[in-house]
Amino acid sequence: MMWAKALWMLLLLCKLSLAVLPAKPENISCIFYYEENFTCTWSPEKEASYTWYKVKRTYSYGYKSDICSTDNSTRGNHASCSFLPPTITNPDNYTIQVEAQNADGIMKSDITYWNLDAIMKIEPPEIFSVKSVLGIKRMLQIKWIRPVLAPHSSTLKYTLRFRTVNSAYWMEVNFIKEDIDRDETYNLTELQAFTEYVMTLRCAPAESMFWSGWSQEKVGTTEEEAPYGLDLWRVLRPAMVDGRRPVQLIWKKATGAPVLEKALGYNIWYFPENNTNLTETVNTTNQTHELYLGGKTYWVYVVSYNSLGESPVATLRIPALNEKTFQCIEAMQACLTQDQLVVEWQSSAPEVETWMVEWFPDVDSEPSSFSWESVSQARNWTIQKDELKPLWCYNISVYPLLCDRVGQPYSIQAYVQEGIPSAGPVTQADNIGVKTVTITWKEIPKSKRNGFIKNYTIFYQAEDGKEFSKTVNSNILQYSLESLTRRTSYSLQVMASTNAGGTNGTKINFKTLSISVLEIFFITSLVGGGFLILIMLTVAYGLKKPNKLKHLCWPDVPNPAESSIATWRGDDFKDKLNLKESDDPVNMEEDQVLKPYSAPTDFIDKLVVNFENFLEEVSTEELGKSQENILKEEKNKHVTSPYCLYRPPISTEIPQRKPQQLCSRIPEGTCSETKEQLFSSVQSLGPDHLCEEGEPNPYLKNSVTSREFVTSEKLQDQA
């Protein structure tokens, strides 16, 4: 038994520890729907487990009580309950307490107290008429029906809400009606002429804290009046070739004019300053017109008209081409609020109180839309963000107006919303060097910027290397990268960034050089300088020792007489050839005379053959010149033989001046004998001897400046 009781107590404790009571009902709120029900709500609206509620009420000033019946109670986690007639009494004071119950227990709320007059809610009124009153300008009369389910003895309070058709902002008027007539009337004044208005109405008992719902909307139009004045402005164009200036006139309804102001047309007249005789008139139905004026100052007047009359005259002065305008705006800035763009400026002229603000999109093409507005008694201008396009840059200009003169404008640019650029900059690499490169890129088109470009970031990376970056200001479109690696390939791209983010441009590749132009110039300078120094040293050496330089540049031709030809022909030829030069001054005169010398017969044959080979290469005229030069150069040289070996040319004409030249320096008797012997010996040999094969002597072909003539012993004996 003890163990059973202990086990039972343990189970009870576990059950109590696991029990979850419902939340305590709080935030109890009750509304008395006149002649319909009395409803209370509370929180929480949902519980973790299934919960049902009971609402205990005391009424009739505490003498009666009841509980919200099950049929009227919304069970199953719905926190509301309604009491229905006939138990609803008015006026009365109620007390309300809410009980929440689930399988684990019950929780009760605090007791609340309610006065039915303070929480009464009635039906909205019904507007059946919104009309203008004949003869009364700028007024609309609203008529409605008092709610049926409303206390007849209660005074009702009303709220009338109205706006123009084209506006989204409501204006409200509060008033109280103490009479209990079924049809109520209210006159709404100080409206705009000939303007459509939208009206709606709500009401409540004077003591109640709950308003009825809004009635259905009704539309009414105020009476028409003569047009209001116009706001007139102009856009000055550059002068044409013929000197005329295009001036675009634009105008609109003045601030405060009726929205639906009716205008049938516009009259324009203009004339040069101080010359009204040249006045011209134009009529148009548009709100813009283009004039072609001269270079002088002009006055322009514009009025609008309808069936009831004309508007006041709008006047504008067009300055002359060479007129200087005044400047008084010192600074201007644009700032964004939650839903507005605010432009503020500072002026150095306190007498200026009127300003003209104009704005249009800054696009690459002609502005598609041009807007403007007049500002008075203020130095700021506000526009709703909804009226401007996001991601578009706007040019905003402010003109000071002093009397009839327009001052110098001050302009800024602004975005109502920025985004990342639609495209990145187009990049190229120039001036590629060994360790440097110049990167240039183009500006992004205005239509693709989507914001103000804050900076550019250059990303570059070598092959399989670390990536580096450089950030420059938005006004820089060129940058030189340094400390690169020689003969290395790089990849590079430039990113343009706005306040919203950045976009990468085109990716390019380049490779640094292995040698620079400066290095090439330096090496070339060294080599060229070395050659120049060598030439200068050579010239200096030549000037100092001219004979040695001549010997190096133009070496002497070897003398055949001093060659080793004797060794080529054997000892016999060497013994028979007795050629020498004497340095003895005593024998100088003997050596100048040709002496007969003996020579073998075969030597003459070979010599003739060698001469034949030589003569085949040299023409007859050239041979004469050569021999003439030979004789001139051999004045001071020694000849060992008095005979002149001559081979007649193939042609029939034999130049006669050569023997004469040869013998010019020999005694006449000796020369004549020598000529006869030479010709007789050549003829006796015959053609067979002349054509005898023999090895040609190269020295006889090449040596033309000094040559020794030899004869055979046979010719010597004959002589």
Side-chain angles (χ1 to χ4, degrees), residues 189-211:
T189 59
E190 297 182 0
L191 302 178
Q192 297 179 2
F194 200 66
T195 304
E196 283 186 322
Y197 286 92
V198 179
M199 306 285 179
T200 184
L201 192 65
R202 70 178 181 178
C203 64
E207 303 85 3
S208 177
M209 59 189 303
F210 294 108
W211 287 90

PDB file of all heavy atoms in Angstrom, residues 189-211:
ATOM      1  N   THR A 189     -16.132  76.475 -48.952  1.00  0.00           N
ATOM      2  CA  THR A 189     -15.690  77.687 -49.651  1.00  0.00           C
ATOM      3  C   THR A 189     -14.172  77.696 -49.849  1.00  0.00           C
ATOM      4  O   THR A 189     -13.468  76.759 -49.456  1.00  0.00           O
ATOM      5  CB  THR A 189     -16.112  78.935 -48.869  1.00  0.00           C
ATOM      6  OG1 THR A 189     -15.543  78.879 -47.561  1.00  0.00           O
ATOM      7  CG2 THR A 189     -17.633  79.012 -48.752  1.00  0.00           C
ATOM      8  N   GLU A 190     -13.687  78.795 -50.472  1.00  0.00           N
ATOM      9  CA  GLU A 190     -12.272  79.027 -50.744  1.00  0.00           C
ATOM     10  C   GLU A 190     -11.677  77.925 -51.619  1.00  0.00           C
ATOM     11  O   GLU A 190     -10.533  77.483 -51.427  1.00  0.00           O
ATOM     12  CB  GLU A 190     -11.475  79.171 -49.447  1.00  0.00           C
ATOM     13  CG  GLU A 190     -11.899  80.371 -48.604  1.00  0.00           C
ATOM     14  CD  GLU A 190     -11.071  80.516 -47.357  1.00  0.00           C
ATOM     15  OE1 GLU A 190     -10.160  79.671 -47.151  1.00  0.00           O
ATOM     16  OE2 GLU A 190     -11.313  81.446 -46.581  1.00  0.00           O
ATOM     17  N   LEU A 191     -12.440  77.518 -52.584  1.00  0.00           N
ATOM     18  CA  LEU A 191     -11.958  76.530 -53.546  1.00  0.00           C
ATOM     19  C   LEU A 191     -11.442  77.235 -54.797  1.00  0.00           C
ATOM     20  O   LEU A 191     -11.535  78.456 -54.931  1.00  0.00           O
ATOM     21  CB  LEU A 191     -13.069  75.557 -53.896  1.00  0.00           C
ATOM     22  CG  LEU A 191     -13.681  74.775 -52.722  1.00  0.00           C
ATOM     23  CD1 LEU A 191     -14.812  73.885 -53.219  1.00  0.00           C
ATOM     24  CD2 LEU A 191     -12.619  73.948 -52.020  1.00  0.00           C
ATOM     25  N   GLN A 192     -10.906  76.467 -55.714  1.00  0.00           N
ATOM     26  CA  GLN A 192     -10.434  77.011 -56.981  1.00  0.00           C
ATOM     27  C   GLN A 192     -11.577  77.035 -57.984  1.00  0.00           C
ATOM     28  O   GLN A 192     -12.441  76.150 -57.984  1.00  0.00           O
ATOM     29  CB  GLN A 192      -9.266  76.170 -57.523  1.00  0.00           C
ATOM     30  CG  GLN A 192      -8.041  76.173 -56.612  1.00  0.00           C
ATOM     31  CD  GLN A 192      -6.915  75.326 -57.170  1.00  0.00           C
ATOM     32  OE1 GLN A 192      -7.038  74.766 -58.253  1.00  0.00           O
ATOM     33  NE2 GLN A 192      -5.818  75.236 -56.438  1.00  0.00           N
ATOM     34  N   ALA A 193     -11.522  78.024 -58.840  1.00  0.00           N
ATOM     35  CA  ALA A 193     -12.576  78.156 -59.840  1.00  0.00           C
ATOM     36  C   ALA A 193     -12.441  77.085 -60.916  1.00  0.00           C
ATOM     37  O   ALA A 193     -11.326  76.690 -61.290  1.00  0.00           O
ATOM     38  CB  ALA A 193     -12.518  79.541 -60.473  1.00  0.00           C
ATOM     39  N   PHE A 194     -13.618  76.638 -61.372  1.00  0.00           N
ATOM     40  CA  PHE A 194     -13.711  75.660 -62.453  1.00  0.00           C
ATOM     41  C   PHE A 194     -12.776  74.469 -62.205  1.00  0.00           C
ATOM     42  O   PHE A 194     -11.937  74.104 -63.014  1.00  0.00           O
ATOM     43  CB  PHE A 194     -13.397  76.324 -63.799  1.00  0.00           C
ATOM     44  CG  PHE A 194     -13.920  75.537 -64.968  1.00  0.00           C
ATOM     45  CD1 PHE A 194     -15.280  75.387 -65.160  1.00  0.00           C
ATOM     46  CD2 PHE A 194     -13.050  74.959 -65.867  1.00  0.00           C
ATOM     47  CE1 PHE A 194     -15.758  74.662 -66.237  1.00  0.00           C
ATOM     48  CE2 PHE A 194     -13.522  74.230 -66.941  1.00  0.00           C
ATOM     49  CZ  PHE A 194     -14.877  74.088 -67.128  1.00  0.00           C
ATOM     50  N   THR A 195     -12.956  73.869 -61.032  1.00  0.00           N
ATOM     51  CA  THR A 195     -12.115  72.749 -60.620  1.00  0.00           C
ATOM     52  C   THR A 195     -12.995  71.627 -60.093  1.00  0.00           C
ATOM     53  O   THR A 195     -13.965  71.875 -59.372  1.00  0.00           O
ATOM     54  CB  THR A 195     -11.130  73.186 -59.525  1.00  0.00           C
ATOM     55  OG1 THR A 195     -10.376  74.304 -60.009  1.00  0.00           O
ATOM     56  CG2 THR A 195     -10.178  72.065 -59.148  1.00  0.00           C
ATOM     57  N   GLU A 196     -12.648  70.392 -60.446  1.00  0.00           N
ATOM     58  CA  GLU A 196     -13.378  69.217 -59.965  1.00  0.00           C
ATOM     59  C   GLU A 196     -12.814  68.786 -58.613  1.00  0.00           C
ATOM     60  O   GLU A 196     -11.597  68.670 -58.443  1.00  0.00           O
ATOM     61  CB  GLU A 196     -13.260  68.065 -60.959  1.00  0.00           C
ATOM     62  CG  GLU A 196     -14.159  68.213 -62.176  1.00  0.00           C
ATOM     63  CD  GLU A 196     -14.115  66.981 -63.044  1.00  0.00           C
ATOM     64  OE1 GLU A 196     -13.017  66.394 -63.192  1.00  0.00           O
ATOM     65  OE2 GLU A 196     -15.160  66.584 -63.572  1.00  0.00           O
ATOM     66  N   TYR A 197     -13.729  68.502 -57.681  1.00  0.00           N
ATOM     67  CA  TYR A 197     -13.349  68.057 -56.343  1.00  0.00           C
ATOM     68  C   TYR A 197     -14.045  66.748 -56.019  1.00  0.00           C
ATOM     69  O   TYR A 197     -15.187  66.506 -56.435  1.00  0.00           O
ATOM     70  CB  TYR A 197     -13.719  69.105 -55.288  1.00  0.00           C
ATOM     71  CG  TYR A 197     -12.804  70.317 -55.291  1.00  0.00           C
ATOM     72  CD1 TYR A 197     -13.113  71.442 -56.051  1.00  0.00           C
ATOM     73  CD2 TYR A 197     -11.650  70.328 -54.515  1.00  0.00           C
ATOM     74  CE1 TYR A 197     -12.284  72.551 -56.053  1.00  0.00           C
ATOM     75  CE2 TYR A 197     -10.818  71.438 -54.507  1.00  0.00           C
ATOM     76  CZ  TYR A 197     -11.138  72.536 -55.282  1.00  0.00           C
ATOM     77  OH  TYR A 197     -10.306  73.635 -55.287  1.00  0.00           O
ATOM     78  N   VAL A 198     -13.370  65.920 -55.234  1.00  0.00           N
ATOM     79  CA  VAL A 198     -13.920  64.658 -54.745  1.00  0.00           C
ATOM     80  C   VAL A 198     -14.210  64.832 -53.259  1.00  0.00           C
ATOM     81  O   VAL A 198     -13.351  65.293 -52.502  1.00  0.00           O
ATOM     82  CB  VAL A 198     -12.945  63.499 -54.980  1.00  0.00           C
ATOM     83  CG1 VAL A 198     -13.526  62.192 -54.442  1.00  0.00           C
ATOM     84  CG2 VAL A 198     -12.609  63.370 -56.455  1.00  0.00           C
ATOM     85  N   MET A 199     -15.450  64.449 -52.821  1.00  0.00           N
ATOM     86  CA  MET A 199     -15.879  64.636 -51.427  1.00  0.00           C
ATOM     87  C   MET A 199     -16.229  63.294 -50.788  1.00  0.00           C
ATOM     88  O   MET A 199     -16.758  62.388 -51.447  1.00  0.00           O
ATOM     89  CB  MET A 199     -17.106  65.540 -51.370  1.00  0.00           C
ATOM     90  CG  MET A 199     -16.943  66.880 -52.063  1.00  0.00           C
ATOM     91  SD  MET A 199     -15.920  67.977 -51.086  1.00  0.00           S
ATOM     92  CE  MET A 199     -15.891  69.413 -52.152  1.00  0.00           C
ATOM     93  N   THR A 200     -15.944  63.170 -49.487  1.00  0.00           N
ATOM     94  CA  THR A 200     -16.395  62.039 -48.688  1.00  0.00           C
ATOM     95  C   THR A 200     -16.598  62.531 -47.257  1.00  0.00           C
ATOM     96  O   THR A 200     -15.964  63.501 -46.822  1.00  0.00           O
ATOM     97  CB  THR A 200     -15.398  60.872 -48.744  1.00  0.00           C
ATOM     98  OG1 THR A 200     -15.928  59.760 -48.027  1.00  0.00           O
ATOM     99  CG2 THR A 200     -14.065  61.265 -48.173  1.00  0.00           C
ATOM    100  N   LEU A 201     -17.480  61.810 -46.482  1.00  0.00           N
ATOM    101  CA  LEU A 201     -17.922  62.316 -45.176  1.00  0.00           C
ATOM    102  C   LEU A 201     -18.013  61.167 -44.180  1.00  0.00           C
ATOM    103  O   LEU A 201     -18.338  60.029 -44.547  1.00  0.00           O
ATOM    104  CB  LEU A 201     -19.287  62.985 -45.325  1.00  0.00           C
ATOM    105  CG  LEU A 201     -19.823  63.828 -44.166  1.00  0.00           C
ATOM    106  CD1 LEU A 201     -18.948  65.054 -43.946  1.00  0.00           C
ATOM    107  CD2 LEU A 201     -21.266  64.240 -44.449  1.00  0.00           C
ATOM    108  N   ARG A 202     -17.752  61.476 -42.902  1.00  0.00           N
ATOM    109  CA  ARG A 202     -17.953  60.531 -41.816  1.00  0.00           C
ATOM    110  C   ARG A 202     -18.505  61.295 -40.611  1.00  0.00           C
ATOM    111  O   ARG A 202     -18.423  62.528 -40.549  1.00  0.00           O
ATOM    112  CB  ARG A 202     -16.667  59.818 -41.431  1.00  0.00           C
ATOM    113  CG  ARG A 202     -15.649  60.708 -40.755  1.00  0.00           C
ATOM    114  CD  ARG A 202     -14.407  59.940 -40.344  1.00  0.00           C
ATOM    115  NE  ARG A 202     -13.429  60.797 -39.679  1.00  0.00           N
ATOM    116  CZ  ARG A 202     -12.282  60.383 -39.192  1.00  0.00           C
ATOM    117  NH1 ARG A 202     -11.942  59.101 -39.313  1.00  0.00           N
ATOM    118  NH2 ARG A 202     -11.458  61.215 -38.590  1.00  0.00           N
ATOM    119  N   CYS A 203     -19.069  60.543 -39.629  1.00  0.00           N
ATOM    120  CA  CYS A 203     -19.675  61.188 -38.458  1.00  0.00           C
ATOM    121  C   CYS A 203     -19.525  60.303 -37.230  1.00  0.00           C
ATOM    122  O   CYS A 203     -19.145  59.124 -37.344  1.00  0.00           O
ATOM    123  CB  CYS A 203     -21.146  61.492 -38.711  1.00  0.00           C
ATOM    124  SG  CYS A 203     -22.174  60.028 -38.949  1.00  0.00           S
ATOM    125  N   ALA A 204     -19.886  60.856 -36.070  1.00  0.00           N
ATOM    126  CA  ALA A 204     -19.834  60.136 -34.798  1.00  0.00           C
ATOM    127  C   ALA A 204     -20.608  60.944 -33.770  1.00  0.00           C
ATOM    128  O   ALA A 204     -20.707  62.164 -33.880  1.00  0.00           O
ATOM    129  CB  ALA A 204     -18.400  59.922 -34.355  1.00  0.00           C
ATOM    130  N   PRO A 205     -21.197  60.273 -32.739  1.00  0.00           N
ATOM    131  CA  PRO A 205     -21.804  61.038 -31.632  1.00  0.00           C
ATOM    132  C   PRO A 205     -20.756  61.921 -30.980  1.00  0.00           C
ATOM    133  O   PRO A 205     -19.562  61.576 -30.950  1.00  0.00           O
ATOM    134  CB  PRO A 205     -22.311  59.951 -30.692  1.00  0.00           C
ATOM    135  CG  PRO A 205     -22.514  58.751 -31.563  1.00  0.00           C
ATOM    136  CD  PRO A 205     -21.429  58.822 -32.594  1.00  0.00           C
ATOM    137  N   ALA A 206     -21.177  63.044 -30.495  1.00  0.00           N
ATOM    138  CA  ALA A 206     -20.226  64.018 -29.947  1.00  0.00           C
ATOM    139  C   ALA A 206     -19.407  63.438 -28.809  1.00  0.00           C
ATOM    140  O   ALA A 206     -18.240  63.807 -28.624  1.00  0.00           O
ATOM    141  CB  ALA A 206     -20.979  65.253 -29.488  1.00  0.00           C
ATOM    142  N   GLU A 207     -20.005  62.488 -27.977  1.00  0.00           N
ATOM    143  CA  GLU A 207     -19.285  61.939 -26.833  1.00  0.00           C
ATOM    144  C   GLU A 207     -18.449  60.714 -27.203  1.00  0.00           C
ATOM    145  O   GLU A 207     -17.628  60.255 -26.391  1.00  0.00           O
ATOM    146  CB  GLU A 207     -20.258  61.530 -25.729  1.00  0.00           C
ATOM    147  CG  GLU A 207     -21.170  62.642 -25.216  1.00  0.00           C
ATOM    148  CD  GLU A 207     -22.423  62.786 -26.086  1.00  0.00           C
ATOM    149  OE1 GLU A 207     -22.553  61.958 -27.033  1.00  0.00           O
ATOM    150  OE2 GLU A 207     -23.210  63.709 -25.855  1.00  0.00           O
ATOM    151  N   SER A 208     -18.666  60.142 -28.387  1.00  0.00           N
ATOM    152  CA  SER A 208     -18.043  58.857 -28.723  1.00  0.00           C
ATOM    153  C   SER A 208     -16.611  59.045 -29.211  1.00  0.00           C
ATOM    154  O   SER A 208     -16.246  60.077 -29.790  1.00  0.00           O
ATOM    155  CB  SER A 208     -18.867  58.135 -29.781  1.00  0.00           C
ATOM    156  OG  SER A 208     -18.239  56.929 -30.148  1.00  0.00           O
ATOM    157  N   MET A 209     -15.830  58.007 -28.971  1.00  0.00           N
ATOM    158  CA  MET A 209     -14.458  57.987 -29.439  1.00  0.00           C
ATOM    159  C   MET A 209     -14.301  57.239 -30.763  1.00  0.00           C
ATOM    160  O   MET A 209     -13.202  57.205 -31.323  1.00  0.00           O
ATOM    161  CB  MET A 209     -13.561  57.321 -28.379  1.00  0.00           C
ATOM    162  CG  MET A 209     -13.977  55.889 -28.064  1.00  0.00           C
ATOM    163  SD  MET A 209     -13.111  55.148 -26.651  1.00  0.00           S
ATOM    164  CE  MET A 209     -11.436  55.314 -27.151  1.00  0.00           C
ATOM    165  N   PHE A 210     -15.360  56.641 -31.263  1.00  0.00           N
ATOM    166  CA  PHE A 210     -15.302  55.868 -32.493  1.00  0.00           C
ATOM    167  C   PHE A 210     -16.060  56.580 -33.608  1.00  0.00           C
ATOM    168  O   PHE A 210     -17.231  56.940 -33.443  1.00  0.00           O
ATOM    169  CB  PHE A 210     -15.895  54.464 -32.284  1.00  0.00           C
ATOM    170  CG  PHE A 210     -15.097  53.604 -31.336  1.00  0.00           C
ATOM    171  CD1 PHE A 210     -15.574  53.313 -30.072  1.00  0.00           C
ATOM    172  CD2 PHE A 210     -13.866  53.086 -31.711  1.00  0.00           C
ATOM    173  CE1 PHE A 210     -14.853  52.526 -29.193  1.00  0.00           C
ATOM    174  CE2 PHE A 210     -13.135  52.301 -30.837  1.00  0.00           C
ATOM    175  CZ  PHE A 210     -13.623  52.014 -29.579  1.00  0.00           C
ATOM    176  N   TRP A 211     -15.365  56.804 -34.766  1.00  0.00           N
ATOM    177  CA  TRP A 211     -15.978  57.401 -35.940  1.00  0.00           C
ATOM    178  C   TRP A 211     -16.626  56.321 -36.785  1.00  0.00           C
ATOM    179  O   TRP A 211     -16.223  55.156 -36.775  1.00  0.00           O
ATOM    180  CB  TRP A 211     -14.940  58.135 -36.779  1.00  0.00           C
ATOM    181  CG  TRP A 211     -14.451  59.428 -36.177  1.00  0.00           C
ATOM    182  CD1 TRP A 211     -13.398  59.594 -35.340  1.00  0.00           C
ATOM    183  CD2 TRP A 211     -15.021  60.716 -36.367  1.00  0.00           C
ATOM    184  NE1 TRP A 211     -13.261  60.909 -34.987  1.00  0.00           N
ATOM    185  CE2 TRP A 211     -14.238  61.629 -35.611  1.00  0.00           C
ATOM    186  CE3 TRP A 211     -16.111  61.197 -37.088  1.00  0.00           C
ATOM    187  CZ2 TRP A 211     -14.501  62.988 -35.563  1.00  0.00           C
ATOM    188  CZ3 TRP A 211     -16.370  62.559 -37.054  1.00  0.00           C
ATOM    189  CH2 TRP A 211     -15.580  63.443 -36.300  1.00  0.00           C
TER     190      TRP A 211
END
